[in-house]
Amino acid sequence: MDLNWLGDFECLARTLNFTRAANERNITQSAFSRRIKALESWVGTPLINRAHYPVQLTEAGTQFLPVALAAVSQLEEQRQIIRDTDRGGRRFLRFSALHTISVNFLAPRIDTLQEEIPDLHTQVVSDSMSTCCELLVEGAVDIMLCYYHQSVSPRIDETAFARKDVLTDWLIPVAASAPTLAQGWDLGNASSPPIPYLAYEPSSFLGMVVGRTLEGKMLNAETIYIDGLVETIKRRVLKGSGFAWMPQTAVAKELADGRLMQIGDETWTTRLTIAALANPASFDPVAQVVWDKL
């Protein structure tokens, strides 16, 4: 038995759609189907009637659903009780966030919140978009912070959560000032030599956002490095290795002190929204105050 199977089953029983359930669980449909079949094998009988559209629970599935829900609820409740006991009875408000949001927005925001709310204790998991979504869906965190873009959004069913937009950010092309001025790096100058480009993994959230931003444009650049982490690429940008698209919140200090500069006009930039997602129905009073103040 894998506890994820019960979460999958609950999601499918609620959506009655394999594609939508797989998207909500942030896995491929084929992997999702295999996990449902594995659960049925463990129970010993079909739980889903696939002959109907939308799919339906079998009689056994209807009988098993409240058992699965109760098992997940009790396990999560006991896990939290054990965690709180291990921490001296203190309730930790749990966040998941992309690395760059955690470093450049959440950490300073928590500093301010803890000054305003003395009883606030927090735990932050900084990870990829898919992991952050999975932790929220599974109830392992209370609040998730992520980016939204007009054409790229997290793969998560928003109908199950409340969403709160907390900050507008911008994704901008930047480079170290010294090589930019010395070599005349400018994305608007198509006749200059290709500019060294430090790129995100194409499948990452910011990689997809950059891809959409570049649609229909001729990028005069040569990709010399690919990574999935903003902070890693930022270090190379600061060393003068090339240019990269950076969230403005991640480079605000360096732009202000002149170490970095933007190398393209507003046509090369795109707006991002930092949003928080949560299920406020599960909040205790402290969590509700934090949610209201985010």
Side-chain angles (χ1 to χ4, degrees):
M1 163 60 70
D2 184 333
L3 185 60
N4 284 320
W5 301 348
L6 299 181
D8 295 340
F9 178 57
E10 180 278 329
C11 187
L12 183 57
R14 174 164 43 81
T15 62
L16 299 178
N17 184 287
F18 273 88
T19 301
R20 182 178 173 189
N23 287 337
E24 186 173 325
R25 297 290 288 171
N26 293 291
I27 60 175
T28 65
Q29 185 173 338
S30 59
F32 182 85
S33 297
R34 287 195 299 270
R35 294 198 334 195
I36 292 295
K37 289 180 180 178
L39 177 62
E40 291 176 315
S41 177
W42 183 86
V43 175
T45 189
L47 302 173
I48 305 297
N49 185 343
R50 296 166 175 80
H52 288 265
Y53 183 82
V55 297
Q56 298 177 358
L57 297 184
T58 63
E59 183 177 346
T62 301
Q63 182 180 355
F64 185 68
L65 179 59
V67 178
L69 294 175
V72 172
S73 176
Q74 290 175 18
L75 284 169
E76 290 180 348
E77 181 180 355
Q78 288 303 313
R79 177 180 63 178
Q80 191 58 51
I81 290 173
I82 291 170
R83 285 176 173 176
D84 291 346
T85 300
D86 187 55
R87 293 165 179 156
R90 291 190 296 268
R91 169 75 164 88
F92 277 65
L93 186 62
R94 301 159 297 166
F95 293 88
S96 65
L98 296 178
H99 291 90
T100 186
I101 293 178
S102 179
V103 171
N104 299 295
F105 172 77
L106 184 56
R109 189 73 188 100
I110 287 177
D111 283 340
T112 301
L113 288 169
Q114 287 182 322
E115 292 177 359
E116 300 173 359
I117 312 170
D119 293 335
L120 176 61
H121 299 81
T122 59
Q123 177 185 4
V124 178
V125 178
S126 302
D127 216 305
S128 65
M129 179 73 81
S130 59
T131 298
C132 289
C133 290
E134 183 176 353
L135 290 170
L136 179 66
V137 169
E138 294 182 352
V141 297
D142 303 294
I143 299 173
M144 178 182 79
L145 289 167
C146 63
Y147 281 124
Y148 275 80
H149 182 261
Q150 60 183 0
S151 58
V152 184
S153 298
R155 292 177 57 189
I156 191 169
D157 181 10
E158 284 192 40
T159 62
F161 302 99
R163 171 182 164 184
K164 183 175 187 179
D165 295 342
V166 296
L167 185 71
T168 295
D169 203 349
W170 291 88
L171 197 63
I172 59 176
V174 299
S177 297
T180 297
L181 296 173
Q183 301 180 46
W185 288 348
D186 182 358
L187 292 181
N189 184 2
S191 62
S192 65
I195 307 171
Y197 176 32
L198 313 174
Y200 298 109
E201 287 281 357
S203 61
S204 69
F205 180 83
L206 291 180
M208 289 189 287
V209 171
V210 172
R212 296 295 178 87
T213 304
L214 293 178
E215 287 180 352
K217 295 184 175 68
M218 293 294 294
L219 181 63
N220 183 30
E222 178 185 358
T223 302
I224 63 169
Y225 181 75
I226 298 175
D227 204 314
L229 292 178
V230 171
E231 298 304 316
T232 305
I233 292 179
K234 176 182 173 180
R235 291 191 188 98
R236 295 211 60 190
V237 170
L238 285 168
K239 289 181 179 179
S241 300
F243 86 98
W245 268 268
M246 287 277 129
Q248 193 169 38
T249 53
V251 293
K253 181 179 178 181
E254 291 79 7
L255 288 170
D257 64 24
R259 283 182 289 167
L260 295 180
M261 60 187 299
Q262 188 169 330
I263 65 166
D265 61 24
E266 65 276 0
T267 63
W268 297 94
T269 69
T270 189
R271 187 173 67 178
L272 297 171
T273 299
I274 297 179
L277 283 86
N279 179 13
S282 65
F283 283 169
D284 62 15
V286 171
Q288 186 62 57
V289 171
V290 170
W291 177 255
D292 294 338
K293 288 179 174 289
L294 274 178

